Amino acid sequence: MIVQKILPVTCPSCSGRMKVQRLHCSNCDTSIEGAFELPVLNHLNAEELDFVLQFVKASGSIKDLSSLLGYSYPTVRNMLDDLIKKIVQTEKDLKAKK
Amino acid sequence: MKQLLFNPFIKIAGAKALLLGLVLIIIGSVFASLFNARFDGLIDLHFYKGVNVFQALFDQIIGLIVVAFVFFITALILGSKPRLVDLVGTFAYSRLPYVFAPLLNITGVFLTFSNALQSIDPANPVLPLSSSQLVSFVFLTILSIVLVVWLVTLYFKAWKTCSNLKGNKLVLSFIAGLLIAEILTVYLTRNFTI
């Protein structure tokens, strides 16, 4: 049985944003350690990330995405607006930390 | 089913909602003319003798244009950018409860009660109604309140979906918009009759 692991983006202890500390190459067994920021999109939860993927697949058309998801146009527009707000806020937070 | 009755705009908006809403408005107007009802206000319903179907239709169309216009302006002031077709469509579909409202007067109890009130002798203030008429009047009044609550709930959900406002901004803008639209609709429907 294959278990799909979900990348944890928030700390289960304090809800802070997680960073990547260690990267590993499974081909040559090389490991790199440091403190790497996750890309902005990785700060979204699975549902939000799925929405972004569907939106890209629908060529960025809200109309097409709304018929694909079975939601009304303004509902999808609202989902997108909320996501834009979250991404902008995440970018601001990440910049502020630098 | 619950979503379809109380928050249909997650799935229905735009031209589809407008088309369905116009069908509901036409059916509601036919019922209104059959059972002597006038939609003389955005959330008002009063019973008069001899309401013609065009008057009932005119009342509802005026209400729809006013509510969509008021909330469109409100949205622009608050920096929200809804599509006009979504506002008109969702507010038109919100009239769903008022398709059934004229049916409350199917037995003519509201007109009977109104006539009875007018015929009361101030020297002997007794309502000339039987207890069964009084009970049915009270029951139908409660039902009419349920329909008003349902209508306002749908208006609120329509505004929420179209504006994507949240918190106090959403609630306060809804109350203000509804009050302005109600005052304008009452003025227009009571001063311009067909």
Side-chain angles (χ1 to χ4, degrees), chain A residues 63 69-79 81-82 85, chain B residues 9-14 83 86 90 160-164 166:
Chain A
K63 203 177 171 185
L69 297 176
Y71 291 138
S72 67
Y73 182 98
T75 302
V76 175
R77 174 79 247 179
N78 295 344
M79 289 161 88
D81 284 345
D82 292 345
K85 271 183 199 164
Chain B
F9 311 121
I10 286 180
K11 303 214 167 187
I12 306 165
R83 295 188 311 171
D86 288 326
T90 52
K160 188 181 177 187
T161 304
C162 292
S163 69
N164 198 25
K166 289 175 176 71

Side-chain angles (χ1 to χ4, degrees), chain A residues 1 13 15 19 40 48 54 56 62-63 66 92 96 98:
Chain A
M1 188 181 155
S13 173
S15 300
K19 282 185 178 180
V40 175
E48 291 163 337
Q54 299 275 12
V56 173
I62 299 174
K63 203 177 171 185
S66 63
K92 273 185 191 170
K98 280 180 185 174

Side-chain angles (χ1 to χ4, degrees), chain A residues 4-6 10-11 15 23 30-32 36 38 46 49-51 53 57 62 66 68 70 78 84 86 90 94:
Chain A
Q4 193 187 355
K5 291 181 181 175
I6 297 166
T10 52
C11 173
S15 300
L23 292 159
T30 299
S31 291
I32 303 168
F36 306 99
L38 284 166
L49 206 52
D50 186 54
F51 179 83
L53 289 174
K57 282 180 191 170
I62 299 174
S66 63
L68 192 76
N78 295 344
I84 291 168
K86 186 172 178 180
T90 305
L94 291 175

